[in-house]
Amino acid sequence: MNKELYGRLDSFYSEMSPTERKIADYLKKAYSNACYLSIQELAKEIDVSPSAISRFTKRVGFNNYQELRLMLVDSQEPSEEVFFPEIDEHDSIMNIAQASFQNGISSLSSTLAILNESSWEKLLVNVFCALRSILVFSAIITCS
């Protein structure tokens, strides 16, 4: 866990309620797993309410749970993988393919770490609303 997050949790720990301490303790010991959980999944894992986690995140200085998750992702130990592997003009086709696949895997893993169900729902609602607007507009133009 990075020092900034650990410091935030420690600075408020003595003033925290038992529920907040439960959340802080879990984050300290399982931060590498917590960054992959939505607020609902984390609440279920710790046996607290999502609203308790939301209040906790604000108490320790984040605007929302998503910001806390990003800090948890930043706390991850750097992997041995190189995000942009070097490709040499003398590399074999297989080496180039492996480097390209590794780049894609790293990118997808980083993206997955910050996604949750509610962000997907919001995205899909916005996409469907935009599609509906396009369809209505095209129907008006076609009828004119």
Side-chain angles (χ1 to χ4, degrees):
M1 174 176 287
N2 78 22
K3 291 179 183 180
E4 181 184 350
L5 181 56
Y6 197 86
R8 284 188 190 195
L9 297 179
D10 272 358
S11 67
F12 292 102
Y13 196 83
S14 63
E15 303 161 10
M16 289 181 185
S17 69
T19 300
E20 291 171 329
R21 286 183 182 188
K22 189 176 186 180
I23 297 167
D25 291 340
Y26 181 85
L27 293 177
K28 285 180 182 179
K29 73 174 183 175
Y31 66 91
S32 61
N33 179 49
C35 69
Y36 297 104
L37 302 175
S38 69
I39 194 169
Q40 292 82 9
E41 292 166 333
L42 181 62
K44 186 176 181 180
E45 180 79 21
I46 306 175
D47 195 29
V48 298
S49 70
S51 59
I53 294 173
S54 182
R55 286 190 301 273
F56 171 84
T57 59
K58 288 178 177 34
R59 179 168 176 89
V60 295
F62 296 98
N63 290 323
N64 53 45
Y65 178 66
Q66 198 68 4
E67 280 186 10
L68 173 62
R69 280 181 72 192
L70 290 172
M71 176 86 60
L72 290 168
V73 169
D74 287 343
S75 298
Q76 299 294 310
E77 294 295 321
S79 67
E80 296 298 318
E81 304 163 4
V82 178
F83 191 72
F84 293 108
E86 289 188 32
I87 297 174
D88 188 287
E89 64 185 55
H90 304 293
D91 282 346
S92 70
I93 300 268
M94 284 307 294
N95 284 345
I96 294 171
Q98 286 176 329
S100 297
F101 277 99
Q102 190 57 54
N103 185 16
I105 290 168
S106 296
S107 179
L108 290 170
S109 295
S110 298
T111 303
L112 180 61
I114 61 170
L115 292 178
N116 63 32
E117 191 173 334
S118 67
S119 59
W120 277 106
E121 287 175 7
K122 288 177 187 174
L123 172 70
L124 291 175
V125 165
N126 289 335
V127 167
F128 287 129
C129 286
L131 287 173
R132 188 175 335 140
S133 297
I134 291 169
L135 289 173
V136 168
F137 183 71
S138 64
I140 291 171
I141 290 175
T142 306
C143 293
S144 328

